[in-house]
Amino acid sequence: MKETYRKSSGLLELVIVGLIIAVLFVVSVPAILERISTSKKNAYIDIVKMYVDAARMAVITERIDVSSNVDNATFISFEQLKPYMESGDFTSSYGNEWVSEHSFVVVVNESSINNQTKFTYYVSAWDGEHAIGCTIGDESMAEIVLETDLTAENVVVTTDGAVALPEAKYTKKVSVNGYTYLTLDPEGVIQMFAFDE
């Protein structure tokens, strides 16, 4: 009888340990997946910021020409910025190549006072699956974001690159890599739309 009790006691302990492991697994997996997702998004933003920094350095050192006219925008694709990158992978944190016509830095000449030009930097990034953008309802939309507004919350899953809103007012036109980009400013926000040339 003692032997039967020991065997069933060992089985009971094994079942209890299994249940504890299952509960820990169910509780911890979502937290781990959320942490991985946040880490990927932060890395995505860090890579995008590297492109903005490369654009800034290229503009400061005059290796890339930008418009000297106030309120004009110059688009610099990620592809054009690769030679100015210090190091790193030229893909997103998800391992995807950047889609050239939707991945670029916009340099806007805000003002020019006493031969001092003030540039503002915006950025659009899309790797074919993930973009800088926002989610409205059930839809995610890629967009151009002011560099200082870049956060992990800006990274969304989308099947489309940045698109112009129909009610938007088009203001400027610049050609980059065989595409025409129009900036639009419905409420002081610069966005873009690309056309094949």
Side-chain angles (χ1 to χ4, degrees):
M1 177 121 168
K2 265 187 172 177
E3 196 173 305
T4 307
Y5 175 74
R6 261 193 225 136
K7 284 183 181 177
S8 63
S9 174
L11 182 60
L12 183 62
E13 288 172 354
L14 190 60
V15 169
I16 290 172
V17 169
L19 284 173
I20 291 170
I21 290 172
V23 168
L24 288 173
F25 184 76
V26 167
V27 170
S28 65
V29 165
I32 291 169
L33 292 176
E34 179 62 31
R35 187 165 283 206
I36 290 170
S37 174
T38 302
S39 176
K40 287 260 190 196
K41 288 180 177 184
N42 284 330
Y44 189 99
I45 294 299
D46 289 343
I47 292 168
V48 169
K49 285 180 178 179
M50 285 174 32
Y51 280 98
V52 175
D53 289 341
R56 181 178 288 103
M57 289 309 297
V59 169
I60 289 170
T61 59
E62 298 180 352
R63 290 188 260 169
I64 290 181
D65 291 329
V66 293
S67 177
S68 59
N69 297 330
V70 174
D71 291 332
N72 275 13
T74 304
F75 292 80
I76 308 168
S77 72
F78 280 13
E79 193 65 35
Q80 288 173 280
L81 291 169
K82 283 181 181 178
Y84 307 110
M85 301 283 285
E86 285 184 22
S87 64
D89 196 355
F90 297 122
T91 60
S92 76
S93 59
Y94 297 93
N96 302 326
E97 295 288 328
W98 298 108
V99 179
S100 189
E101 60 268 20
H102 293 283
S103 302
F104 52 82
V105 176
V106 184
V107 184
V108 180
N109 185 339
E110 292 273 315
S111 64
S112 187
I113 301 169
N114 299 332
N115 291 332
Q116 293 289 328
T117 305
K118 179 183 180 241
F119 293 112
T120 304
Y121 295 82
Y122 296 81
V123 64
S124 171
W126 184 47
D127 69 0
E129 292 178 21
H130 304 87
I132 300 293
C134 64
T135 303
I136 301 168
D138 291 340
E139 261 186 61
S140 294
M141 213 172 73
E143 61 185 356
I144 290 180
V145 175
L146 184 62
E147 70 157 321
T148 55
D149 293 337
L150 283 172
T151 65
E153 288 79 37
N154 293 124
V155 181
V156 296
V157 176
T158 181
T159 56
D160 295 316
V163 294
L165 303 174
E167 67 274 9
K169 188 168 81 179
Y170 301 113
T171 55
K172 296 174 187 60
K173 182 170 137 177
V174 181
S175 292
V176 178
N177 292 342
Y179 286 86
T180 299
Y181 293 93
L182 299 178
T183 65
L184 54 108
D185 196 5
E187 293 171 6
V189 179
I190 294 180
Q191 302 253 3
M192 74 88 184
F193 190 67
F195 299 95
D196 281 306
E197 288 184 339

